[in-house]
Amino acid sequence: MDAPWRMVLNGVMPLPTGSFGMLLYRRAPVVLGILLGMLAPAGAGESRTIAVTTIIEHPALDAARRGLQAGLREHGLRPGRGVELVFRSAGGSRAQATTIAEDFVAMKADVIVPISTPSAQATAMATTSIPIVFAAVTDPLAAALVEDVQAPGGNVTGVSDQLPVADHLDLILEVAPGLSRLGVVADPDEARARSLLGALRAAAAPRGIEIVTRPARDRAEVRAAAEGLSGEVDALYLSSDDTVASALEEIVAVGEAHDLPVFASDVHGVPRGALAGLGFNYFEIGRQAALLVKRVLDGEAPGSIPIQTVKATELYVNPAAAGRMGVDLPEAVVKRAAATFESR
Protein backbone atom coordinates (compact mmCIF):
# COMPACT_ATOMS: atom_id res chain seq x y z
CA MET A 1 0.00 0.00 0.00
CA ASP A 2 1.47 3.41 -0.95
CA ALA A 3 1.82 6.24 1.55
CA PRO A 4 -1.35 8.30 0.73
CA TRP A 5 -3.63 5.26 1.30
CA ARG A 6 -1.92 4.46 4.58
CA MET A 7 -2.61 7.99 5.82
CA VAL A 8 -6.25 7.94 4.65
CA LEU A 9 -6.90 4.73 6.54
CA ASN A 10 -5.22 6.17 9.61
CA GLY A 11 -7.42 9.28 9.49
CA VAL A 12 -4.43 11.53 8.94
CA MET A 13 -5.08 12.67 5.35
CA PRO A 14 -8.57 13.79 4.16
CA LEU A 15 -10.20 11.98 1.27
CA PRO A 16 -9.80 13.67 -2.15
CA THR A 17 -12.52 16.13 -3.21
CA GLY A 18 -14.48 16.32 -6.46
CA SER A 19 -16.30 13.56 -8.35
CA PHE A 20 -13.49 11.07 -7.76
CA GLY A 21 -13.52 11.95 -4.06
CA MET A 22 -17.32 11.49 -3.87
CA LEU A 23 -17.06 8.07 -5.56
CA LEU A 24 -14.26 7.08 -3.24
CA TYR A 25 -16.28 8.26 -0.24
CA ARG A 26 -19.32 6.22 -1.28
CA ARG A 27 -17.17 3.15 -1.85
CA ALA A 28 -14.98 3.64 1.23
CA PRO A 29 -16.55 0.84 3.32
CA VAL A 30 -16.09 -1.63 0.46
CA VAL A 31 -12.55 -0.50 -0.25
CA LEU A 32 -11.65 -0.55 3.43
CA GLY A 33 -13.08 -4.05 3.85
CA ILE A 34 -11.06 -5.34 0.91
CA LEU A 35 -7.90 -3.73 2.18
CA LEU A 36 -8.34 -5.01 5.72
CA GLY A 37 -9.07 -8.47 4.36
CA MET A 38 -5.80 -8.32 2.44
CA LEU A 39 -3.98 -7.37 5.65
CA ALA A 40 -5.63 -10.00 7.91
CA PRO A 41 -3.66 -13.16 8.55
CA ALA A 42 -4.80 -16.37 6.94
CA GLY A 43 -7.33 -18.20 9.07
CA ALA A 44 -8.29 -15.08 11.08
CA GLY A 45 -11.69 -15.52 12.67
CA GLU A 46 -11.51 -19.32 12.39
CA SER A 47 -12.02 -20.99 15.75
CA ARG A 48 -11.03 -24.61 16.38
CA THR A 49 -12.04 -26.66 19.39
CA ILE A 50 -9.58 -28.98 21.14
CA ALA A 51 -11.54 -31.15 23.59
CA VAL A 52 -9.55 -32.85 26.36
CA THR A 53 -10.84 -35.57 28.67
CA THR A 54 -9.35 -37.79 31.37
CA ILE A 55 -10.77 -40.68 33.35
CA ILE A 56 -9.72 -39.18 36.68
CA GLU A 57 -7.44 -36.49 38.05
CA HIS A 58 -4.21 -37.64 39.70
CA PRO A 59 -0.61 -36.35 39.51
CA ALA A 60 0.55 -38.34 36.46
CA LEU A 61 -2.48 -37.54 34.31
CA ASP A 62 -2.55 -33.97 35.61
CA ALA A 63 1.08 -33.58 34.52
CA ALA A 64 0.18 -34.90 31.06
CA ARG A 65 -2.61 -32.33 30.79
CA ARG A 66 -0.28 -29.50 31.85
CA GLY A 67 2.28 -30.69 29.30
CA LEU A 68 -0.39 -30.74 26.61
CA GLN A 69 -1.40 -27.17 27.42
CA ALA A 70 2.23 -26.02 27.42
CA GLY A 71 2.92 -27.78 24.13
CA LEU A 72 -0.16 -26.27 22.48
CA ARG A 73 1.03 -22.80 23.51
CA GLU A 74 4.48 -23.55 22.09
CA HIS A 75 2.85 -24.36 18.75
CA GLY A 76 0.74 -21.20 18.72
CA LEU A 77 -2.49 -22.91 19.76
CA ARG A 78 -3.61 -20.57 22.52
CA PRO A 79 -7.12 -20.26 23.96
CA GLY A 80 -8.73 -17.02 22.87
CA ARG A 81 -6.57 -16.83 19.75
CA GLY A 82 -8.59 -18.93 17.36
CA VAL A 83 -8.58 -21.92 19.70
CA GLU A 84 -11.10 -23.09 22.27
CA LEU A 85 -9.71 -25.56 24.81
CA VAL A 86 -12.32 -27.65 26.66
CA PHE A 87 -11.45 -30.01 29.53
CA ARG A 88 -13.63 -32.52 31.39
CA SER A 89 -12.80 -35.25 33.90
CA ALA A 90 -14.88 -38.42 34.27
CA GLY A 91 -14.16 -38.63 38.00
CA GLY A 92 -13.20 -42.29 37.71
CA SER A 93 -16.47 -43.33 36.05
CA ARG A 94 -16.34 -45.21 32.75
CA ALA A 95 -19.99 -44.36 32.14
CA GLN A 96 -19.17 -40.68 32.56
CA ALA A 97 -16.20 -41.08 30.20
CA THR A 98 -18.63 -42.31 27.57
CA THR A 99 -20.99 -39.39 28.17
CA ILE A 100 -18.13 -36.90 27.86
CA ALA A 101 -16.96 -38.48 24.60
CA GLU A 102 -20.48 -38.26 23.18
CA ASP A 103 -20.75 -34.63 24.28
CA PHE A 104 -17.49 -33.80 22.50
CA VAL A 105 -18.76 -35.45 19.33
CA ALA A 106 -22.03 -33.50 19.58
CA MET A 107 -20.13 -30.22 19.90
CA LYS A 108 -18.19 -31.17 16.74
CA ALA A 109 -14.77 -30.73 18.29
CA ASP A 110 -11.96 -30.43 15.75
CA VAL A 111 -9.77 -32.86 17.68
CA ILE A 112 -10.33 -34.86 20.88
CA VAL A 113 -7.44 -35.59 23.27
CA PRO A 114 -8.28 -38.40 25.72
CA ILE A 115 -5.72 -38.80 28.50
CA SER A 116 -5.75 -42.39 29.84
CA THR A 117 -6.82 -45.70 28.34
CA PRO A 118 -10.48 -45.71 29.48
CA SER A 119 -11.04 -42.21 28.10
CA ALA A 120 -9.38 -43.13 24.82
CA GLN A 121 -11.55 -46.25 24.48
CA ALA A 122 -14.72 -44.27 25.19
CA THR A 123 -13.76 -41.64 22.63
CA ALA A 124 -12.90 -44.19 19.95
CA MET A 125 -16.29 -45.83 20.48
CA ALA A 126 -18.02 -42.46 20.10
CA THR A 127 -16.52 -41.37 16.78
CA THR A 128 -14.71 -42.73 13.77
CA SER A 129 -14.47 -39.38 12.01
CA ILE A 130 -13.26 -36.73 14.47
CA PRO A 131 -9.46 -36.95 14.91
CA ILE A 132 -8.35 -38.49 18.21
CA VAL A 133 -4.89 -37.86 19.69
CA PHE A 134 -4.53 -39.88 22.89
CA ALA A 135 -1.96 -39.46 25.65
CA ALA A 136 -0.84 -41.86 28.39
CA VAL A 137 -2.30 -45.02 26.84
CA THR A 138 -0.07 -47.93 27.82
CA ASP A 139 -0.96 -50.45 25.12
CA PRO A 140 -3.06 -49.06 22.25
CA LEU A 141 -3.11 -52.50 20.58
CA ALA A 142 -4.49 -54.31 23.63
CA ALA A 143 -6.95 -51.46 24.14
CA ALA A 144 -8.21 -52.04 20.56
CA LEU A 145 -7.55 -48.42 19.63
CA VAL A 146 -5.34 -49.23 16.64
CA GLU A 147 -4.38 -52.32 14.65
CA ASP A 148 -0.80 -51.28 13.93
CA VAL A 149 1.34 -48.85 15.94
CA GLN A 150 3.33 -47.85 12.85
CA ALA A 151 0.29 -47.31 10.63
CA PRO A 152 -2.68 -46.79 12.95
CA GLY A 153 -5.22 -46.09 10.22
CA GLY A 154 -8.61 -44.58 10.92
CA ASN A 155 -8.89 -41.46 13.06
CA VAL A 156 -6.56 -42.34 15.95
CA THR A 157 -2.96 -41.62 16.88
CA GLY A 158 -1.23 -40.63 20.10
CA VAL A 159 1.54 -41.09 22.66
CA SER A 160 1.94 -44.35 24.59
CA ASP A 161 3.36 -44.62 28.10
CA GLN A 162 4.37 -48.28 27.79
CA LEU A 163 6.35 -48.89 30.95
CA PRO A 164 9.95 -50.21 31.06
CA VAL A 165 8.97 -53.06 33.42
CA ALA A 166 12.24 -54.98 33.01
CA ASP A 167 14.12 -51.92 34.25
CA HIS A 168 11.65 -51.62 37.13
CA LEU A 169 12.33 -55.19 38.23
CA ASP A 170 16.08 -54.68 38.03
CA LEU A 171 15.75 -51.61 40.24
CA ILE A 172 13.62 -53.53 42.74
CA LEU A 173 16.21 -56.33 42.92
CA GLU A 174 18.97 -53.78 43.41
CA VAL A 175 17.16 -52.33 46.43
CA ALA A 176 15.83 -55.68 47.72
CA PRO A 177 18.23 -58.40 46.47
CA GLY A 178 16.45 -61.27 48.23
CA LEU A 179 13.03 -60.50 46.79
CA SER A 180 11.14 -63.43 45.27
CA ARG A 181 7.46 -62.40 45.43
CA LEU A 182 6.20 -59.01 44.25
CA GLY A 183 2.67 -57.87 45.09
CA VAL A 184 0.57 -55.84 42.67
CA VAL A 185 -2.86 -54.31 43.24
CA ALA A 186 -4.56 -53.77 39.87
CA ASP A 187 -7.94 -53.06 38.35
CA PRO A 188 -8.78 -56.17 36.28
CA ASP A 189 -11.34 -54.23 34.23
CA GLU A 190 -8.74 -51.83 32.88
CA ALA A 191 -6.85 -52.79 29.72
CA ARG A 192 -3.85 -50.84 30.91
CA ALA A 193 -3.58 -52.96 34.07
CA ARG A 194 -3.97 -56.23 32.17
CA SER A 195 -1.26 -55.22 29.74
CA LEU A 196 1.08 -54.22 32.57
CA LEU A 197 0.56 -57.50 34.44
CA GLY A 198 1.31 -59.49 31.30
CA ALA A 199 4.53 -57.58 30.71
CA LEU A 200 5.50 -57.86 34.38
CA ARG A 201 5.05 -61.64 34.45
CA ALA A 202 7.06 -62.05 31.25
CA ALA A 203 9.95 -59.99 32.64
CA ALA A 204 9.73 -61.45 36.16
CA ALA A 205 10.02 -65.15 35.27
CA PRO A 206 13.67 -65.09 34.12
CA ARG A 207 14.55 -63.02 37.20
CA GLY A 208 13.09 -65.59 39.58
CA ILE A 209 10.27 -63.31 40.70
CA GLU A 210 6.66 -64.39 41.18
CA ILE A 211 3.99 -61.75 40.59
CA VAL A 212 1.14 -61.97 43.13
CA THR A 213 -1.96 -59.88 42.44
CA ARG A 214 -5.10 -58.67 44.18
CA PRO A 215 -7.96 -56.92 42.34
CA ALA A 216 -9.33 -53.45 43.12
CA ARG A 217 -12.08 -52.17 40.86
CA ASP A 218 -12.50 -48.84 42.62
CA ARG A 219 -10.68 -46.68 45.16
CA ALA A 220 -12.55 -48.15 48.09
CA GLU A 221 -11.09 -51.61 47.39
CA VAL A 222 -7.44 -50.57 47.10
CA ARG A 223 -6.51 -50.57 50.81
CA ALA A 224 -8.08 -54.00 51.47
CA ALA A 225 -6.35 -55.48 48.41
CA ALA A 226 -2.97 -54.18 49.59
CA GLU A 227 -3.59 -55.52 53.10
CA GLY A 228 -4.38 -58.91 51.57
CA LEU A 229 -0.94 -58.96 49.94
CA SER A 230 0.99 -57.84 53.02
CA GLY A 231 1.61 -61.31 54.45
CA GLU A 232 2.41 -62.95 51.13
CA VAL A 233 4.95 -60.78 49.33
CA ASP A 234 8.35 -59.15 49.83
CA ALA A 235 7.45 -55.79 48.29
CA LEU A 236 4.57 -53.91 46.66
CA TYR A 237 4.60 -52.50 43.14
CA LEU A 238 2.24 -49.68 42.25
CA SER A 239 0.32 -50.47 39.09
CA SER A 240 -0.06 -47.64 36.60
CA ASP A 241 -3.81 -48.12 36.23
CA ASP A 242 -5.93 -45.14 37.16
CA THR A 243 -7.81 -46.80 40.02
CA VAL A 244 -4.57 -47.55 41.87
CA ALA A 245 -2.97 -44.22 40.97
CA SER A 246 -5.91 -42.33 42.45
CA ALA A 247 -5.54 -44.18 45.79
CA LEU A 248 -1.78 -44.67 45.84
CA GLU A 249 -1.41 -43.39 49.40
CA GLU A 250 -3.50 -46.31 50.66
CA ILE A 251 -0.90 -48.79 49.40
CA VAL A 252 1.94 -46.68 50.78
CA ALA A 253 0.26 -46.76 54.20
CA VAL A 254 0.13 -50.57 54.06
CA GLY A 255 3.81 -50.68 53.15
CA GLU A 256 4.74 -48.47 56.10
CA ALA A 257 2.59 -50.48 58.50
CA HIS A 258 4.11 -53.84 57.48
CA ASP A 259 7.72 -52.86 56.62
CA LEU A 260 7.09 -53.62 52.94
CA PRO A 261 9.00 -51.54 50.39
CA VAL A 262 6.67 -49.85 47.92
CA PHE A 263 7.98 -49.15 44.41
CA ALA A 264 6.26 -46.85 41.92
CA SER A 265 5.76 -47.63 38.24
CA ASP A 266 6.17 -43.94 37.41
CA VAL A 267 8.08 -41.07 38.97
CA HIS A 268 4.94 -39.27 40.15
CA GLY A 269 4.35 -41.89 42.83
CA VAL A 270 7.60 -41.06 44.63
CA PRO A 271 6.66 -37.64 46.05
CA ARG A 272 3.45 -39.32 47.24
CA GLY A 273 5.31 -41.86 49.39
CA ALA A 274 6.81 -44.64 47.25
CA LEU A 275 10.50 -45.21 48.01
CA ALA A 276 11.63 -45.21 44.38
CA GLY A 277 10.25 -45.03 40.88
CA LEU A 278 11.68 -45.21 37.39
CA GLY A 279 9.59 -43.79 34.61
CA PHE A 280 8.60 -41.02 32.30
CA ASN A 281 7.91 -37.42 33.00
CA TYR A 282 4.21 -37.27 32.07
CA PHE A 283 4.53 -33.57 31.35
CA GLU A 284 6.69 -34.53 28.36
CA ILE A 285 4.08 -37.07 27.22
CA GLY A 286 1.59 -34.20 27.10
CA ARG A 287 4.00 -32.03 25.15
CA GLN A 288 4.52 -34.80 22.60
CA ALA A 289 0.76 -35.16 22.21
CA ALA A 290 0.47 -31.40 21.58
CA LEU A 291 2.77 -31.70 18.57
CA LEU A 292 0.54 -34.44 17.14
CA VAL A 293 -2.51 -32.20 17.68
CA LYS A 294 -0.77 -29.46 15.70
CA ARG A 295 0.03 -31.86 12.87
CA VAL A 296 -3.56 -33.04 12.73
CA LEU A 297 -4.97 -29.51 12.76
CA ASP A 298 -2.55 -28.65 9.97
CA GLY A 299 -4.22 -31.32 7.83
CA GLU A 300 -2.26 -34.52 8.48
CA ALA A 301 -4.42 -37.64 8.78
CA PRO A 302 -4.11 -39.07 12.30
CA GLY A 303 -4.15 -42.63 10.98
CA SER A 304 -0.96 -41.93 9.03
CA ILE A 305 1.00 -40.81 12.13
CA PRO A 306 2.76 -43.67 13.97
CA ILE A 307 2.06 -44.09 17.67
CA GLN A 308 4.73 -42.23 19.63
CA THR A 309 6.56 -43.56 22.68
CA VAL A 310 8.71 -41.90 25.32
CA LYS A 311 12.24 -43.29 25.44
CA ALA A 312 13.96 -41.31 28.18
CA THR A 313 13.36 -42.33 31.79
CA GLU A 314 14.20 -40.71 35.11
CA LEU A 315 14.83 -42.21 38.54
CA TYR A 316 13.24 -40.58 41.59
CA VAL A 317 13.95 -41.72 45.16
CA ASN A 318 12.48 -40.98 48.57
CA PRO A 319 14.93 -42.02 51.33
CA ALA A 320 12.54 -40.85 54.06
CA ALA A 321 9.79 -43.10 52.73
CA ALA A 322 12.28 -45.97 52.49
CA GLY A 323 13.14 -45.47 56.15
CA ARG A 324 9.46 -45.65 57.14
CA MET A 325 9.33 -49.02 55.33
CA GLY A 326 12.45 -50.36 57.04
CA VAL A 327 14.67 -50.04 53.96
CA ASP A 328 18.02 -48.32 53.43
CA LEU A 329 18.37 -47.24 49.82
CA PRO A 330 21.73 -48.25 48.30
CA GLU A 331 24.03 -45.29 47.83
CA ALA A 332 24.45 -46.13 44.14
CA VAL A 333 20.69 -45.83 43.62
CA VAL A 334 20.50 -42.48 45.40
CA LYS A 335 23.41 -41.11 43.35
CA ARG A 336 21.70 -42.04 40.07
CA ALA A 337 18.47 -40.29 40.99
CA ALA A 338 17.33 -37.29 39.00
CA ALA A 339 15.29 -36.12 41.99
CA THR A 340 15.29 -36.92 45.72
CA PHE A 341 12.38 -36.44 48.10
CA GLU A 342 12.41 -36.60 51.87
CA SER A 343 8.75 -36.59 52.76
CA ARG A 344 5.22 -36.67 51.39
Side-chain angles (χ1 to χ4, degrees), residues 82-299:
V83 171
E84 181 183 5
L85 191 61
V86 180
F87 171 74
R88 288 181 62 185
S89 169
S93 166
R94 288 176 174 78
Q96 184 63 18
T98 298
T99 299
I100 292 170
E102 292 170 349
D103 289 347
F104 285 170
V105 172
M107 75 168 58
K108 298 181 179 179
D110 292 277
V111 61
I112 302 176
V113 185
I115 302 174
S116 76
T117 299
S119 292
Q121 289 174 314
T123 304
M125 289 290 291
T127 180
T128 58
S129 57
I130 295 176
I132 296 170
V133 177
F134 63 72
V137 170
T138 300
D139 190 339
L141 290 174
L145 295 172
V146 299
E147 295 183 357
D148 187 329
V149 295
Q150 292 302 315
N155 63 321
V156 179
T157 189
V159 184
S160 167
D161 62 347
Q162 185 76 52
L163 297 172
V165 293
D167 294 339
H168 289 173
L169 294 176
D170 289 340
L171 173 65
I172 290 170
L173 288 173
E174 186 176 1
V175 175
L179 179 139
S180 62
R181 307 188 86 205
L182 182 64
V184 184
V185 176
D187 184 346
D189 295 332
E190 189 171 320
R192 182 177 189 174
R194 295 193 298 270
S195 174
L196 172 64
L197 288 174
L200 264 178
R201 290 190 176 102
R207 290 169 171 80
I209 299 173
E210 179 186 356
I211 303 299
V212 183
T213 66
R214 289 289 185 277
R217 289 180 168 83
D218 58 46
R219 292 184 56 154
E221 297 180 356
V222 170
R223 179 66 175 258
E227 288 283 1
L229 288 168
S230 62
E232 301 182 20
V233 299
D234 304 308
L236 295 170
Y237 175 83
L238 297 168
S239 169
S240 61
D241 72 70
D242 299 306
T243 299
V244 169
S246 66
L248 181 153
E249 286 81 4
E250 298 294 333
I251 300 177
V252 168
V254 171
E256 292 177 356
H258 297 279
D259 284 341
L260 278 175
V262 179
F263 295 87
S265 59
D266 66 64
V267 295
H268 299 280
V270 180
R272 297 170 68 188
L275 64 83
L278 180 71
F280 313 118
N281 185 324
Y282 275 71
F283 185 90
E284 293 304 318
I285 289 177
R287 288 185 69 227
Q288 280 189 243
L291 175 58
L292 299 187
V293 170
K294 175 67 164 56
R295 289 170 63 179
V296 167
L297 289 178
D298 283 347

